[in-house]
Amino acid sequence: AFEAGLNVGDEMLAINEYRLSGSLEGRLEQYSVGDTVQLLISRRGKLRSVPVRLGADPDEKWRLEVLPEPSEQQRISLAEWLRQPAEQADSSDGPTSELRDAG
């Protein structure tokens, strides 16, 4: 999205002059990978039309796991990232999650 000229906080209003009244995914199903669409957005209250070339969903999956025996620096970094006291982030059965890049 950033490569297409979109920013955090942009409100997507329409694709090719059709208002987004339902889900974005539902509207995008009408197009193919590689198609270029005009996206009408509101950025800080100002309307802008941005050409966007549609890409494919990445197939990559990521899995985050807490190391069973982290170093002291790794334990501190994890605690800072989780915004927890270091002793809470020290659990070897800590958070695990799968992430997908939404593009």
Side-chain angles (χ1 to χ4, degrees):
F2 178 76
E3 293 172 358
L6 301 176
N7 291 320
V8 172
D10 286 351
E11 179 184 2
M12 294 182 278
L13 304 172
I15 296 177
N16 285 348
E17 299 182 7
Y18 287 95
R19 182 155 180 82
L20 289 172
S21 57
S23 74
L24 176 62
E25 290 80 16
R27 179 66 71 184
L28 289 176
E29 288 176 354
Q30 300 174 18
Y31 303 99
S32 300
V33 171
D35 287 351
T36 299
V37 297
Q38 287 296 319
L39 187 60
L40 180 65
I41 63 168
S42 174
R43 180 178 295 159
R44 293 184 218 103
K46 184 176 179 180
L47 296 178
R48 297 174 185 240
S49 182
V50 180
V52 175
R53 186 168 183 257
L54 302 177
D57 280 339
D59 290 329
E60 298 175 359
K61 284 189 176 182
W62 298 90
R63 184 173 177 92
L64 300 178
E65 297 180 347
V66 176
L67 293 174
E69 296 181 32
S71 70
E72 181 64 18
Q73 183 57 50
Q74 289 169 328
R75 193 175 61 76
I76 291 168
S77 295
L78 175 63
E80 290 173 354
W81 185 61
L82 296 175
R83 296 185 179 146
Q84 295 179 345
E87 52 277 358
Q88 286 182 4
D90 195 25
S91 171
S92 61
D93 59 327
T96 299
S97 60
E98 288 189 358
L99 302 177
R100 289 193 80 143
D101 184 357

